[in-house]
């Protein structure tokens, strides 16, 4: 389930309009504002680098079992102290295992759930609502080291734990949030690897959990998206070269997007624009408006 959890988390972050990078040991962390940690094993050297980065103002988001062990498979004292959690066990029930997301997740049994309370202001009055959030695949069982902003599972152990360290923050989710994000978007239909358009292999999930969308986006409060699309399920990636730049638009919404608005970075907004498909567009300041079917590219020279 961990591999499926990484793939779905990647998609969830792409849907936030975020330009992602992959950090490996030895990379400098100084230019990053948020790091999503998913690996259980992190070396002592890398753990110390992450801890210093958070202390200096970084924001760390860790999923189930992330950072709990070092390269010798020993408890990772540095990251356990930084996250202020101590994992005592890992639950991976057979009937909740997810290997292939569209095939397995619709039929997986929830391991546990937690309740989120949201508050809205309507006509000057505060209204609270609750939402039960199921989890799948894996549950990390924790001993809580403090009482900072914990959200509990129904079973009684911490589900989400927030901890402040120096100028930065860390968030530990004792589950795989990508699987919960995808659960509402995967239909319970027979597995069909046929070539016809209605086959489940061609299903593009798009009805994702709004609750998890907000949770996963919270750490990105500190990050300004490079390119902003009016449809969040349109992925925008930039490729730069000495001769110009390309903004690749990929439509994951499941259907054509009419009047898509793409807000460009200030440096690219000044360049001459054309589309790879030859599609017409309207340009006003930093915003480009066009119709998008499956994919296109904005070419800026």
């Amino acid at each position: 389930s961990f591999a499926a959890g990484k793939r779905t988390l990647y998609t969830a972050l792409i849907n936030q309009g975020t330009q992602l990078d992959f950090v490996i040991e030895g990379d400098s962390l100084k230019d990053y504002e948020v790091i999503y940690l998913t690996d259980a094993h992190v070396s002592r050297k890398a753990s110390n680098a992450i801890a210093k980065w958070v202390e200096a103002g970084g924001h760390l988001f860790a999923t189930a079992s992330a950072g709990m062990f070092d390269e010798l498979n020993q408890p990772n004292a540095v990251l356990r102290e930084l996250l202020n959690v101590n994992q005592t066990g890992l639950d991976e029930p057979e009937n909740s295992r997810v290997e292939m997301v569209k095939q397995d997740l619709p039929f997986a049994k929830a391991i546990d759930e937690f309740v989120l309370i949201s508050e809205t202001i309507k006509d000057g009055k505060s209204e609270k609502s609750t939402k039960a959030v199921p989890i799948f695949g894996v549950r990390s069982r924790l001993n809580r080291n403090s009482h900072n902003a914990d959200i509990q599972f129904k079973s009684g152990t911490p589900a989400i734990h927030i901890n402040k360290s120096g100028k930065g923050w860390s968030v530990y989710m004792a589950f795989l949030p990508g699987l919960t994000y995808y659960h509402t978007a995967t239909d319970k239909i027979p597995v069909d690897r046929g070539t016809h358009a209605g086959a489940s292999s061609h299903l593009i999930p798009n009805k994702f959990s709004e609750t998890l969308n907000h949770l996963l986006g919270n750490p990105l409060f500190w990050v300004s998206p490079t390119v902003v699309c009016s449809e969040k399920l349109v992925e925008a990636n930039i490729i730069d070269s000495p001769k110009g730049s390309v903004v690749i638009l990929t439509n994951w919404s499941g259907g054509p997007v009419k009047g898509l608005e793409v807000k460009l970075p200030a440096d690219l907004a000044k360049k001459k624009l054309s589309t790879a498909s030859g599609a017409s567009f309207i340009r006003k300041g930093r915003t480009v408006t066009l119709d998008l079917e499956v994919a296109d590219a904005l070419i800026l020279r």
Side-chain angles (χ1 to χ4, degrees), residues 20-301:
L20 294 183
D21 194 7
F22 291 93
V23 178
I24 62 174
E25 185 161 347
D27 286 349
S28 172
L29 304 182
K30 65 181 181 63
D31 294 327
Y32 297 99
E33 296 177 86
V34 178
I35 290 178
Y36 288 80
L37 185 66
T38 58
D39 285 345
H41 294 83
V42 180
S43 75
R44 297 172 186 177
K45 182 178 179 180
S47 298
N48 284 319
I50 292 171
K52 290 179 181 178
W53 171 80
V54 173
E55 292 280 342
H59 302 89
L60 178 66
F61 183 104
T63 59
S65 200
M68 291 294 101
F69 301 94
D70 64 17
E71 70 270 39
L72 302 177
N73 200 35
Q74 297 300 305
N76 191 323
V78 173
L79 290 184
R80 290 186 186 220
E81 181 178 354
L82 177 68
L83 293 163
N84 206 23
V85 297
N86 184 38
Q87 180 174 282
T88 60
L90 196 65
D91 299 318
E92 303 178 81
E94 184 71 30
N95 65 1
S96 193
R97 184 173 296 172
V98 178
E99 182 178 355
M100 302 179 72
V101 176
K102 291 190 291 183
Q103 173 179 299
D104 301 333
L105 184 56
F107 302 94
K109 300 295 183 183
I111 303 175
D112 210 332
E113 66 178 35
F114 60 91
V115 174
L116 283 181
I117 301 175
S118 59
E119 185 175 2
T120 57
I121 305 297
K122 187 175 182 181
D123 298 328
K125 296 181 179 180
S126 173
E127 294 185 357
K128 291 186 178 181
S129 60
T130 59
K131 176 73 173 179
V133 182
I135 66 158
F136 304 90
V138 173
R139 176 183 58 195
S140 177
R141 279 183 280 116
L142 306 176
N143 273 343
R144 183 181 53 207
N145 294 339
S146 76
H147 298 278
N148 287 348
D150 271 340
I151 295 175
Q152 302 284 330
F153 283 126
K154 186 177 180 180
S155 59
T157 60
I160 301 175
H161 183 71
I162 302 172
N163 193 55
K164 191 175 190 317
S165 301
K167 297 179 180 179
W169 292 84
S170 62
V171 179
Y172 185 91
M173 288 194 172
F175 57 101
L176 301 177
L179 298 185
T180 299
Y181 177 76
Y182 256 79
H183 184 250
T184 56
T186 51
D187 297 330
K188 188 177 286 189
I189 57 177
V191 176
D192 179 1
R193 293 185 174 87
T195 58
H196 61 93
S200 63
S201 57
H202 295 286
L203 169 69
I204 299 178
N206 53 40
K207 298 177 182 177
F208 300 108
S209 167
E210 281 300 319
T211 303
L212 263 293
N213 185 53
H214 293 307
L215 271 180
L216 293 171
N218 281 341
L220 300 175
F221 173 82
W222 295 275
V223 181
S224 299
T226 309
V227 180
V228 179
C229 295
S230 56
E231 167 56 63
K232 70 178 184 179
L233 295 183
V234 170
E235 176 185 350
N237 285 304
I238 299 176
I239 298 177
D240 290 315
S241 82
K243 295 184 178 181
S245 300
V246 175
V247 178
I248 302 172
L249 302 173
T250 309
N251 180 12
W252 298 101
S253 70
V257 179
K258 299 292 185 181
L260 173 70
E261 295 182 355
V262 183
K263 188 175 181 181
L264 299 172
D267 61 324
L268 295 186
K270 300 173 183 178
K271 297 185 177 184
K272 183 180 178 181
L273 171 66
S274 61
T275 59
S277 66
S280 59
F281 57 88
I282 299 172
R283 187 172 187 176
K284 188 176 182 180
R286 293 173 57 185
T287 302
V288 179
T289 304
L290 73 161
D291 295 337
L292 182 67
E293 292 191 8
V294 177
D296 208 335
L298 306 181
I299 304 169
L300 299 118
R301 296 186 175 93

